[in-house]
Short mmCIF file of all heavy atoms in Angstrom, two decimals:
data_model
loop_
_atom_site.label_atom_id
_atom_site.label_comp_id
_atom_site.label_asym_id
_atom_site.label_seq_id
_atom_site.Cartn_x
_atom_site.Cartn_y
_atom_site.Cartn_z
N THR A 568 46.72 4.09 19.04
CA THR A 568 46.72 4.54 17.65
C THR A 568 47.84 5.55 17.46
O THR A 568 47.98 6.49 18.23
CB THR A 568 45.37 5.20 17.29
OG1 THR A 568 44.32 4.25 17.50
CG2 THR A 568 45.36 5.66 15.85
N LYS A 569 48.67 5.35 16.43
CA LYS A 569 49.79 6.26 16.19
C LYS A 569 49.30 7.53 15.51
O LYS A 569 48.64 7.48 14.46
CB LYS A 569 50.84 5.58 15.30
CG LYS A 569 52.09 6.46 15.07
CD LYS A 569 53.02 5.84 14.05
CE LYS A 569 53.69 4.60 14.59
NZ LYS A 569 54.72 4.09 13.63
N VAL A 570 49.60 8.68 16.11
CA VAL A 570 49.25 9.98 15.53
C VAL A 570 50.56 10.73 15.31
O VAL A 570 51.34 10.93 16.26
CB VAL A 570 48.32 10.78 16.44
CG1 VAL A 570 47.90 12.08 15.75
CG2 VAL A 570 47.10 9.96 16.83
N ILE A 571 50.82 11.13 14.07
CA ILE A 571 52.09 11.77 13.70
C ILE A 571 51.81 13.20 13.27
O ILE A 571 50.91 13.45 12.46
CB ILE A 571 52.79 11.01 12.56
CG1 ILE A 571 52.87 9.51 12.90
CG2 ILE A 571 54.18 11.57 12.31
CD1 ILE A 571 53.32 8.64 11.74
N LEU A 572 52.58 14.14 13.78
CA LEU A 572 52.43 15.56 13.44
C LEU A 572 53.52 15.96 12.45
O LEU A 572 54.72 15.71 12.69
CB LEU A 572 52.53 16.41 14.70
CG LEU A 572 52.42 17.92 14.51
CD1 LEU A 572 51.01 18.32 14.09
CD2 LEU A 572 52.81 18.65 15.81
N TYR A 573 53.13 16.57 11.33
CA TYR A 573 54.05 17.09 10.32
C TYR A 573 53.74 18.57 10.10
O TYR A 573 52.62 19.03 10.36
CB TYR A 573 53.86 16.38 8.97
CG TYR A 573 54.14 14.90 8.97
CD1 TYR A 573 53.14 13.98 9.27
CD2 TYR A 573 55.41 14.42 8.63
CE1 TYR A 573 53.39 12.62 9.25
CE2 TYR A 573 55.66 13.05 8.60
CZ TYR A 573 54.65 12.15 8.92
OH TYR A 573 54.91 10.81 8.88
N ASN A 574 54.74 19.31 9.60
CA ASN A 574 54.42 20.65 9.13
C ASN A 574 53.80 20.55 7.75
O ASN A 574 53.69 19.46 7.18
CB ASN A 574 55.65 21.56 9.15
CG ASN A 574 56.74 21.10 8.18
OD1 ASN A 574 56.48 20.37 7.22
ND2 ASN A 574 57.98 21.52 8.43
N GLU A 575 53.37 21.69 7.20
CA GLU A 575 52.62 21.61 5.93
C GLU A 575 53.48 21.16 4.76
O GLU A 575 52.95 20.73 3.74
CB GLU A 575 51.95 22.96 5.63
CG GLU A 575 52.89 24.11 5.44
CD GLU A 575 52.11 25.41 5.19
OE1 GLU A 575 51.00 25.32 4.65
OE2 GLU A 575 52.61 26.48 5.56
N LYS A 576 54.81 21.20 4.91
CA LYS A 576 55.69 20.69 3.86
C LYS A 576 55.86 19.18 3.94
O LYS A 576 56.42 18.57 3.04
CB LYS A 576 57.06 21.36 3.96
CG LYS A 576 57.04 22.86 3.72
CD LYS A 576 58.44 23.44 3.87
CE LYS A 576 58.44 24.95 3.66
NZ LYS A 576 59.81 25.53 3.84
N GLY A 577 55.40 18.60 5.06
CA GLY A 577 55.53 17.17 5.22
C GLY A 577 56.70 16.75 6.08
O GLY A 577 57.00 15.55 6.19
N ASP A 578 57.40 17.73 6.71
CA ASP A 578 58.53 17.41 7.58
C ASP A 578 58.03 16.91 8.93
O ASP A 578 57.14 17.52 9.55
CB ASP A 578 59.42 18.64 7.78
CG ASP A 578 59.99 19.16 6.46
OD1 ASP A 578 60.28 18.32 5.59
OD2 ASP A 578 60.13 20.40 6.32
N PHE A 579 58.62 15.80 9.41
CA PHE A 579 58.22 15.20 10.68
C PHE A 579 58.50 16.14 11.85
O PHE A 579 59.56 16.77 11.92
CB PHE A 579 58.96 13.89 10.87
CG PHE A 579 58.78 13.27 12.23
CD1 PHE A 579 57.68 12.47 12.48
CD2 PHE A 579 59.69 13.50 13.25
CE1 PHE A 579 57.50 11.89 13.74
CE2 PHE A 579 59.51 12.92 14.51
CZ PHE A 579 58.41 12.12 14.75
N ILE A 580 57.54 16.23 12.79
CA ILE A 580 57.72 17.04 14.00
C ILE A 580 57.66 16.17 15.25
O ILE A 580 58.55 16.21 16.10
CB ILE A 580 56.65 18.15 14.09
CG1 ILE A 580 56.78 19.11 12.90
CG2 ILE A 580 56.78 18.92 15.41
CD1 ILE A 580 55.71 20.18 12.87
N ASN A 581 56.62 15.33 15.37
CA ASN A 581 56.45 14.54 16.59
C ASN A 581 55.46 13.42 16.33
O ASN A 581 54.68 13.47 15.37
CB ASN A 581 55.94 15.44 17.72
CG ASN A 581 56.13 14.81 19.09
OD1 ASN A 581 56.71 13.73 19.21
ND2 ASN A 581 55.64 15.47 20.13
N GLU A 582 55.50 12.39 17.16
CA GLU A 582 54.49 11.34 17.07
C GLU A 582 54.22 10.78 18.47
O GLU A 582 55.08 10.77 19.35
CB GLU A 582 54.92 10.21 16.13
CG GLU A 582 55.97 9.27 16.67
CD GLU A 582 56.21 8.09 15.74
OE1 GLU A 582 56.52 8.32 14.55
OE2 GLU A 582 56.10 6.95 16.22
N ILE A 583 52.96 10.32 18.67
CA ILE A 583 52.56 9.72 19.94
C ILE A 583 51.58 8.59 19.67
O ILE A 583 51.05 8.47 18.56
CB ILE A 583 51.90 10.74 20.90
CG1 ILE A 583 50.66 11.36 20.23
CG2 ILE A 583 52.88 11.80 21.37
CD1 ILE A 583 49.88 12.26 21.17
N LEU A 584 51.34 7.76 20.70
CA LEU A 584 50.27 6.77 20.66
C LEU A 584 49.12 7.27 21.52
O LEU A 584 49.34 7.80 22.62
CB LEU A 584 50.75 5.42 21.19
CG LEU A 584 51.75 4.64 20.33
CD1 LEU A 584 52.16 3.36 21.04
CD2 LEU A 584 51.16 4.31 18.96
N THR A 585 47.88 7.10 21.02
CA THR A 585 46.73 7.51 21.83
C THR A 585 46.66 6.66 23.09
O THR A 585 47.04 5.49 23.10
CB THR A 585 45.41 7.37 21.06
OG1 THR A 585 45.25 6.01 20.65
CG2 THR A 585 45.41 8.27 19.83
N ILE A 586 46.18 7.27 24.18
CA ILE A 586 46.10 6.56 25.45
C ILE A 586 44.78 5.80 25.54
O ILE A 586 44.06 5.67 24.55
CB ILE A 586 46.28 7.55 26.63
CG1 ILE A 586 45.21 8.65 26.59
CG2 ILE A 586 47.67 8.14 26.62
CD1 ILE A 586 45.29 9.61 27.77
N GLU A 587 44.45 5.30 26.72
CA GLU A 587 43.32 4.40 26.90
C GLU A 587 42.00 4.98 26.41
O GLU A 587 41.15 4.27 25.89
CB GLU A 587 43.21 4.01 28.37
CG GLU A 587 42.18 2.92 28.64
CD GLU A 587 42.19 2.47 30.08
OE1 GLU A 587 43.03 2.97 30.85
OE2 GLU A 587 41.35 1.63 30.45
N ASP A 588 41.81 6.31 26.59
CA ASP A 588 40.56 6.92 26.14
C ASP A 588 40.62 7.38 24.69
O ASP A 588 39.76 8.12 24.23
CB ASP A 588 40.19 8.09 27.05
CG ASP A 588 41.15 9.27 26.93
OD1 ASP A 588 42.19 9.12 26.24
OD2 ASP A 588 40.88 10.33 27.53
N GLY A 589 41.66 6.95 23.97
CA GLY A 589 41.78 7.26 22.55
C GLY A 589 42.33 8.64 22.24
O GLY A 589 42.37 9.04 21.08
N SER A 590 42.79 9.38 23.25
CA SER A 590 43.16 10.79 23.03
C SER A 590 44.64 10.98 22.71
O SER A 590 45.49 10.17 23.05
CB SER A 590 42.79 11.61 24.26
OG SER A 590 43.54 11.22 25.38
N TYR A 591 44.90 12.09 22.04
CA TYR A 591 46.25 12.54 21.72
C TYR A 591 46.33 14.04 21.98
O TYR A 591 45.29 14.72 22.10
CB TYR A 591 46.58 12.24 20.25
CG TYR A 591 45.83 13.14 19.30
CD1 TYR A 591 46.38 14.35 18.86
CD2 TYR A 591 44.55 12.80 18.86
CE1 TYR A 591 45.66 15.18 18.01
CE2 TYR A 591 43.83 13.62 18.02
CZ TYR A 591 44.39 14.82 17.60
OH TYR A 591 43.68 15.66 16.77
N GLU A 592 47.55 14.60 22.02
CA GLU A 592 47.71 16.05 22.18
C GLU A 592 49.10 16.46 21.71
O GLU A 592 50.09 15.79 21.99
CB GLU A 592 47.52 16.46 23.64
CG GLU A 592 47.63 17.96 23.87
CD GLU A 592 47.35 18.36 25.31
OE1 GLU A 592 46.89 17.50 26.09
OE2 GLU A 592 47.60 19.52 25.66
N PHE A 593 49.17 17.55 20.94
CA PHE A 593 50.43 18.13 20.49
C PHE A 593 50.42 19.64 20.77
O PHE A 593 49.37 20.28 20.73
CB PHE A 593 50.63 17.95 18.97
CG PHE A 593 50.81 16.54 18.53
CD1 PHE A 593 49.82 15.89 17.81
CD2 PHE A 593 51.99 15.86 18.81
CE1 PHE A 593 49.98 14.60 17.37
CE2 PHE A 593 52.16 14.55 18.38
CZ PHE A 593 51.15 13.92 17.66
N GLU A 594 51.60 20.20 21.04
CA GLU A 594 51.76 21.65 21.07
C GLU A 594 52.11 22.13 19.67
O GLU A 594 52.92 21.51 18.98
CB GLU A 594 52.87 22.05 22.06
CG GLU A 594 52.48 21.90 23.51
CD GLU A 594 53.49 22.53 24.44
OE1 GLU A 594 54.64 22.71 24.02
OE2 GLU A 594 53.12 22.85 25.58
N ILE A 595 51.49 23.21 19.26
CA ILE A 595 51.73 23.76 17.92
C ILE A 595 51.86 25.27 18.01
O ILE A 595 51.56 25.87 19.06
CB ILE A 595 50.60 23.40 16.95
CG1 ILE A 595 49.26 23.95 17.47
CG2 ILE A 595 50.51 21.91 16.73
CD1 ILE A 595 48.12 23.78 16.49
N GLU A 596 52.27 25.88 16.92
CA GLU A 596 52.41 27.33 16.85
C GLU A 596 51.36 27.89 15.90
O GLU A 596 51.32 27.52 14.74
CB GLU A 596 53.81 27.72 16.37
CG GLU A 596 54.90 27.30 17.33
CD GLU A 596 56.27 27.75 16.86
OE1 GLU A 596 56.32 28.45 15.81
OE2 GLU A 596 57.27 27.43 17.52
N PRO A 597 50.50 28.79 16.39
CA PRO A 597 49.47 29.37 15.52
C PRO A 597 50.07 30.08 14.33
O PRO A 597 51.22 30.48 14.35
CB PRO A 597 48.76 30.35 16.45
CG PRO A 597 49.04 29.84 17.82
CD PRO A 597 50.40 29.25 17.76
N ALA A 598 49.23 30.22 13.32
CA ALA A 598 49.58 30.83 12.04
C ALA A 598 50.36 29.87 11.16
O ALA A 598 50.56 30.14 9.98
CB ALA A 598 50.34 32.14 12.22
N ASN A 599 50.82 28.74 11.73
CA ASN A 599 51.44 27.70 10.92
C ASN A 599 50.41 26.61 10.64
O ASN A 599 49.55 26.35 11.47
CB ASN A 599 52.64 27.09 11.64
CG ASN A 599 53.76 28.10 11.82
OD1 ASN A 599 53.94 28.98 10.99
ND2 ASN A 599 54.50 27.97 12.92
N ASN A 600 50.53 25.98 9.50
CA ASN A 600 49.64 24.88 9.16
C ASN A 600 50.37 23.55 9.33
O ASN A 600 51.59 23.48 9.19
CB ASN A 600 49.12 25.02 7.73
CG ASN A 600 48.26 26.25 7.57
OD1 ASN A 600 47.55 26.64 8.49
ND2 ASN A 600 48.33 26.88 6.40
N TYR A 601 49.60 22.50 9.61
CA TYR A 601 50.18 21.21 9.93
C TYR A 601 49.40 20.09 9.24
O TYR A 601 48.34 20.31 8.66
CB TYR A 601 50.16 20.97 11.45
CG TYR A 601 50.97 21.98 12.23
CD1 TYR A 601 50.39 23.18 12.64
CD2 TYR A 601 52.30 21.73 12.55
CE1 TYR A 601 51.12 24.11 13.34
CE2 TYR A 601 53.04 22.66 13.27
CZ TYR A 601 52.44 23.85 13.66
OH TYR A 601 53.17 24.77 14.36
N LYS A 602 49.95 18.88 9.37
CA LYS A 602 49.26 17.67 8.93
C LYS A 602 49.30 16.66 10.06
O LYS A 602 50.32 16.54 10.75
CB LYS A 602 49.93 17.07 7.69
CG LYS A 602 49.88 17.97 6.47
CD LYS A 602 50.50 17.28 5.27
CE LYS A 602 50.47 18.25 4.09
NZ LYS A 602 50.47 17.61 2.81
N LEU A 603 48.20 15.97 10.24
CA LEU A 603 48.14 14.87 11.19
C LEU A 603 47.97 13.58 10.40
O LEU A 603 47.04 13.45 9.59
CB LEU A 603 46.96 15.02 12.15
CG LEU A 603 47.04 16.14 13.18
CD1 LEU A 603 45.73 16.22 13.96
CD2 LEU A 603 48.20 15.91 14.13
N LYS A 604 48.86 12.63 10.63
CA LYS A 604 48.75 11.33 10.00
C LYS A 604 48.43 10.31 11.07
O LYS A 604 49.11 10.25 12.10
CB LYS A 604 50.05 10.96 9.29
CG LYS A 604 49.95 9.70 8.44
CD LYS A 604 51.24 9.49 7.65
CE LYS A 604 51.14 8.27 6.74
NZ LYS A 604 52.37 8.05 5.96
N VAL A 605 47.39 9.51 10.86
CA VAL A 605 46.91 8.59 11.89
C VAL A 605 46.97 7.16 11.36
O VAL A 605 46.49 6.88 10.26
CB VAL A 605 45.46 8.95 12.31
CG1 VAL A 605 45.05 8.12 13.51
CG2 VAL A 605 45.37 10.43 12.64
N GLU A 606 47.54 6.25 12.16
CA GLU A 606 47.72 4.87 11.73
C GLU A 606 47.33 3.91 12.84
O GLU A 606 47.70 4.11 14.00
CB GLU A 606 49.19 4.60 11.36
CG GLU A 606 49.77 5.51 10.30
CD GLU A 606 51.25 5.24 10.05
OE1 GLU A 606 51.79 4.30 10.70
OE2 GLU A 606 51.86 5.94 9.24
N LYS A 607 46.61 2.85 12.49
CA LYS A 607 46.33 1.76 13.41
C LYS A 607 46.14 0.49 12.61
O LYS A 607 45.48 0.49 11.56
CB LYS A 607 45.08 2.04 14.26
CG LYS A 607 44.85 0.96 15.33
CD LYS A 607 43.75 1.35 16.28
CE LYS A 607 43.50 0.25 17.32
NZ LYS A 607 44.68 0.03 18.19
N GLU A 608 46.71 -0.61 13.10
CA GLU A 608 46.62 -1.89 12.40
C GLU A 608 45.16 -2.26 12.15
O GLU A 608 44.33 -2.22 13.06
CB GLU A 608 47.30 -2.99 13.24
CG GLU A 608 47.37 -4.34 12.54
CD GLU A 608 48.33 -4.34 11.36
OE1 GLU A 608 49.27 -3.50 11.35
OE2 GLU A 608 48.14 -5.16 10.45
N GLY A 609 44.85 -2.63 10.91
CA GLY A 609 43.50 -3.04 10.57
C GLY A 609 42.59 -1.90 10.14
O GLY A 609 41.43 -2.13 9.81
N TYR A 610 43.12 -0.68 10.10
CA TYR A 610 42.33 0.49 9.72
C TYR A 610 43.03 1.22 8.57
O TYR A 610 44.26 1.16 8.41
CB TYR A 610 42.16 1.46 10.88
CG TYR A 610 41.24 0.97 11.96
CD1 TYR A 610 41.67 0.08 12.94
CD2 TYR A 610 39.91 1.39 12.01
CE1 TYR A 610 40.82 -0.38 13.93
CE2 TYR A 610 39.05 0.94 13.01
CZ TYR A 610 39.52 0.05 13.96
OH TYR A 610 38.66 -0.39 14.94
N LEU A 611 42.23 1.93 7.77
CA LEU A 611 42.80 2.78 6.74
C LEU A 611 43.56 3.93 7.40
O LEU A 611 43.05 4.57 8.32
CB LEU A 611 41.70 3.37 5.85
CG LEU A 611 41.12 2.50 4.75
CD1 LEU A 611 40.03 3.28 4.01
CD2 LEU A 611 42.19 2.05 3.78
N ARG A 612 44.79 4.16 6.95
CA ARG A 612 45.53 5.32 7.42
C ARG A 612 44.83 6.59 6.95
O ARG A 612 44.20 6.61 5.91
CB ARG A 612 46.96 5.30 6.90
CG ARG A 612 47.79 4.14 7.45
CD ARG A 612 49.18 4.15 6.88
NE ARG A 612 49.98 3.06 7.41
CZ ARG A 612 51.24 2.82 7.05
NH1 ARG A 612 51.83 3.60 6.14
NH2 ARG A 612 51.90 1.82 7.58
N LYS A 613 45.01 7.64 7.71
CA LYS A 613 44.30 8.88 7.37
C LYS A 613 45.20 10.08 7.61
O LYS A 613 45.91 10.14 8.62
CB LYS A 613 43.03 9.00 8.21
CG LYS A 613 42.05 10.04 7.73
CD LYS A 613 40.73 9.85 8.45
CE LYS A 613 39.63 10.61 7.75
NZ LYS A 613 38.32 10.36 8.38
N THR A 614 45.16 11.02 6.69
CA THR A 614 45.90 12.27 6.84
C THR A 614 44.92 13.43 6.87
O THR A 614 44.02 13.51 6.03
CB THR A 614 46.90 12.48 5.68
OG1 THR A 614 47.82 11.38 5.66
CG2 THR A 614 47.66 13.77 5.84
N VAL A 615 45.09 14.30 7.86
CA VAL A 615 44.19 15.44 8.05
C VAL A 615 45.01 16.72 7.98
O VAL A 615 46.02 16.86 8.68
CB VAL A 615 43.47 15.36 9.40
CG1 VAL A 615 42.57 16.57 9.60
CG2 VAL A 615 42.67 14.07 9.50
N ASN A 616 44.60 17.66 7.12
CA ASN A 616 45.25 18.96 7.07
C ASN A 616 44.72 19.84 8.19
O ASN A 616 43.51 19.90 8.43
CB ASN A 616 45.00 19.63 5.72
CG ASN A 616 45.68 18.90 4.58
OD1 ASN A 616 46.80 18.40 4.74
ND2 ASN A 616 45.02 18.81 3.44
N LEU A 617 45.64 20.50 8.89
CA LEU A 617 45.27 21.29 10.07
C LEU A 617 45.63 22.75 9.85
O LEU A 617 46.80 23.09 9.66
CB LEU A 617 46.00 20.74 11.30
CG LEU A 617 45.92 21.58 12.57
CD1 LEU A 617 44.48 21.70 13.03
CD2 LEU A 617 46.79 20.97 13.65
N THR A 618 44.60 23.60 9.84
CA THR A 618 44.81 25.04 9.79
C THR A 618 44.70 25.58 11.20
O THR A 618 43.66 25.46 11.85
CB THR A 618 43.75 25.71 8.89
OG1 THR A 618 43.81 25.14 7.60
CG2 THR A 618 44.02 27.21 8.78
N ALA A 619 45.78 26.13 11.72
CA ALA A 619 45.85 26.47 13.15
C ALA A 619 45.16 27.79 13.46
O ALA A 619 45.77 28.77 13.87
CB ALA A 619 47.30 26.51 13.60
#
Side-chain angles (χ1 to χ4, degrees):
T568 301
K569 183 188 290 186
V570 185
I571 310 170
L572 179 68
Y573 297 89
N574 64 21
E575 62 182 331
K576 296 179 181 178
D578 300 325
F579 172 85
I580 298 176
N581 197 4
E582 75 174 55
I583 58 174
L584 290 177
T585 59
I586 59 177
E587 188 175 357
D588 68 353
S590 65
Y591 71 91
E592 182 176 350
F593 294 109
E594 287 190 338
I595 59 173
E596 296 183 3
N599 295 328
N600 296 326
Y601 298 87
K602 296 183 182 205
L603 290 175
K604 188 174 183 180
V605 188
E606 303 176 2
K607 186 172 178 64
E608 185 69 25
Y610 288 81
L611 280 179
R612 294 178 179 179
K613 194 168 195 176
T614 301
V615 178
N616 293 322
L617 170 63
T618 303

